């Protein structure tokens, strides 16, 4: 239940406008009481004797470059090793256990701008899977899911965010866009599941998961906007719209289940804010 979590960082100012950073660290997360002691329920069981804490090692090399008084460019290369991910093992009746360890590497880029009452930003993240080890197995020794040590699954390799704002008098307007790249499934989540689904659900012999959800989740874009008006020094009224274009996007449901999670439809909200 205790472990030293060291962190080391170095900063080098090459000039007044250019700074380099290097960071390394370790961290851990001990299992929660429910992960350790779940019992006597269909929704949760626990691997008390073998459950290991989650361990994370990170290494980052970053750069901050002030292009001029209005623009800053940032870049960061990272390597993250995540050991003993804790989750539900559906092939073991929702056993809470260590399911896999992964190693990822990627690049993050960001450009920030500001001018008087206006500002904007744009950032991009790119991730690659470098290694993966499956830790969860059923009673027959079969793995929880198919391994893909060199291929990122369940998460998009690319995410992009762009936004801007402007203020004048009592008004302020902002908008942002989020791009979610396509997401790939694991091999065991495609095609015929062999007559059964997780948690012992029987299906016909000719049942095909691909008939109920796509083999690859398409990319999607979500646009959000907000308009605010200061009624007085303490009061402000805001109108916010999420998913302005009413995009029909999905988030992956992991495992061989016949559905995915749909992102919310267009949402419109009004806020009255009081600052005391």
């Amino acid at each position: 239940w205790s472990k030293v979590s060291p962190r080391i960082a170095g900063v080098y100012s090459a000039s007044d406008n250019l700074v380099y950073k290097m960071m390394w660290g370790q961290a851990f997360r001990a299992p929660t009481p429910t992960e350790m002691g779940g019992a006597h329920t269909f929704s949760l069981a626990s691997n008390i004797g073998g459950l290991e804490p989650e361990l994370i090692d990170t290494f980052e090399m970053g750069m901050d470059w002030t292009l001029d008084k209005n623009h800053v460019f940032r870049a960061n290369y990272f390597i993250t090793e995540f050991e003993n991910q804790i989750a539900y093992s559906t092939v073991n009746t929702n056993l809470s256990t260590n399911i896999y360890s992964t190693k990822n590497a990627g690049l993050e880029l960001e450009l920030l701008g500001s001018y008087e009452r206006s500002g904007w930003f744009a950032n991009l993240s790119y991730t690659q899977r470098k290694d993966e080890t499956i830790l969860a197995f059923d009673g027959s020794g079969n793995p929880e899911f198919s391994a893909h040590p060199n291929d990122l699954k369940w998460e998009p390799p690319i995410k992009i965010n762009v936004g801007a704002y402007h203020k004048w008098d009592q008004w302020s307007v902002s908008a942002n866009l989020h791009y979610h790249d396509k997401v790939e499934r694991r091999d065991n989540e495609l095609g015929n599941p062999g007559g059964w689904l997780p948690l012992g659900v029987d299906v016909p012999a000719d049942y095909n998961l691909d008939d109920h959800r796509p083999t690859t989740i398409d990319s999607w874009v979500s646009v959000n906007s907000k308009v605010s008006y200061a009624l007085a020094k303490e009061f402000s009224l805001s109108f916010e719209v999420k998913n302005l274009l009413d995009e029909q996007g999905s988030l992956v449901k992991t495992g061989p289940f016949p559905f995915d999670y749909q992102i919310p439809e267009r949402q419109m909200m009004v806020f009255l804010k009081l600052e005391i």
Side-chain angles (χ1 to χ4, degrees), residues 188-244:
N188 71 302
E189 301 170 337
L190 303 173
N192 190 305
W196 65 276
L197 295 177
L199 305 179
V201 177
D202 295 327
V203 292
D206 60 350
Y207 189 88
N208 195 316
L209 290 165
D210 302 343
D211 295 335
H212 300 272
R213 63 180 189 180
T215 57
T216 299
I217 297 181
D218 292 335
S219 61
W220 49 267
V221 173
S222 178
V223 177
N224 310 299
S225 183
K226 183 178 181 180
V227 178
S228 298
Y229 180 76
L231 300 171
K233 183 178 180 180
E234 299 84 4
F235 286 94
S236 64
L237 182 66
S238 301
F239 176 67
E240 183 175 355
V241 182
K242 293 185 177 181
N243 195 7
L244 179 65

Side-chain angles (χ1 to χ4, degrees), residues 138-199:
D138 64 15
S140 302
N142 300 311
E144 169 86 9
F145 40 75
S146 55
H148 296 271
N150 301 306
D151 193 8
L152 184 65
K153 302 294 183 182
W154 293 349
E155 269 291 311
I158 296 176
K159 292 181 181 179
I160 299 174
N161 297 288
V162 178
Y165 72 87
H166 180 72
K167 297 180 179 180
W168 73 98
D169 296 331
Q170 288 84 15
W171 292 91
S172 66
V173 178
S174 64
N176 64 79
L177 176 149
H178 172 72
Y179 170 78
H180 202 82
D181 201 16
K182 67 178 182 179
V183 177
E184 302 288 344
R185 303 188 193 279
R186 295 178 181 271
D187 292 343
N188 71 302
E189 301 170 337
L190 303 173
N192 190 305
W196 65 276
L197 295 177
L199 305 179

Side-chain angles (χ1 to χ4, degrees), residues 32-272:
T32 64
T34 55
E35 290 170 336
M36 282 293 294
H40 305 297
T41 169
F42 178 76
S43 64
L44 175 65
S46 295
N47 180 18
I48 298 177
L51 194 62
E52 297 289 339
E54 296 177 341
L55 305 174
I56 299 179
D57 281 77
T58 61
F59 173 75
E60 299 179 65
M61 293 188 299
M63 176 189 73
D64 278 31
W65 182 16
T66 302
L67 303 175
D68 54 44
K69 66 177 183 179
N70 302 115
H71 298 89
V72 176
F73 175 72
R74 295 171 177 167
N76 186 55
Y77 174 76
F78 66 88
I79 300 175
T80 302
E81 188 170 357
F82 197 129
E83 300 180 57
N84 307 328
Q85 171 76 60
I86 298 174
Y88 294 134
S89 173
T90 57
V91 299
N92 290 282
T93 316
N94 264 6
L95 176 70
S96 183
T97 191
N98 306 112
I99 60 169
Y100 68 173
S101 296
T102 62
K103 183 178 181 179
N104 298 322
L107 183 66
E108 299 169 316
L109 304 174
E110 184 171 45
L111 186 61
L112 304 173
S114 62
Y115 182 77
E116 294 182 351
R117 298 185 177 184
S118 299
W120 60 274
F121 72 91
N123 58 54
L124 176 147
S125 66
Y126 173 71
T127 305
Q128 281 186 326
R129 176 61 48 85
K130 293 298 184 180
D131 196 14
E132 179 180 271
T133 303
I134 308 302
L135 303 177
F137 300 86
D138 64 15
S140 302
N142 300 311
E144 169 86 9
F145 40 75
S146 55
H148 296 271
N150 301 306
D151 193 8
L152 184 65
K153 302 294 183 182
W154 293 349
E155 269 291 311
I158 296 176
K159 292 181 181 179
I160 299 174
N161 297 288
V162 178
Y165 72 87
H166 180 72
K167 297 180 179 180
W168 73 98
D169 296 331
Q170 288 84 15
W171 292 91
S172 66
V173 178
S174 64
N176 64 79
L177 176 149
H178 172 72
Y179 170 78
H180 202 82
D181 201 16
K182 67 178 182 179
V183 177
E184 302 288 344
R185 303 188 193 279
R186 295 178 181 271
D187 292 343
N188 71 302
E189 301 170 337
L190 303 173
N192 190 305
W196 65 276
L197 295 177
L199 305 179
V201 177
D202 295 327
V203 292
D206 60 350
Y207 189 88
N208 195 316
L209 290 165
D210 302 343
D211 295 335
H212 300 272
R213 63 180 189 180
T215 57
T216 299
I217 297 181
D218 292 335
S219 61
W220 49 267
V221 173
S222 178
V223 177
N224 310 299
S225 183
K226 183 178 181 180
V227 178
S228 298
Y229 180 76
L231 300 171
K233 183 178 180 180
E234 299 84 4
F235 286 94
S236 64
L237 182 66
S238 301
F239 176 67
E240 183 175 355
V241 182
K242 293 185 177 181
N243 195 7
L244 179 65
L245 304 180
D246 203 20
E247 177 77 7
Q248 303 298 306
S250 299
L251 299 175
V252 66
K253 167 61 179 175
T254 61
F257 295 90
F259 68 94
D260 286 308
Y261 300 111
Q262 305 301 307
I263 65 172
E265 299 177 345
R266 183 189 296 115
Q267 295 176 299
M268 293 178 286
M269 294 160 284
V270 177
F271 299 94
L272 182 62

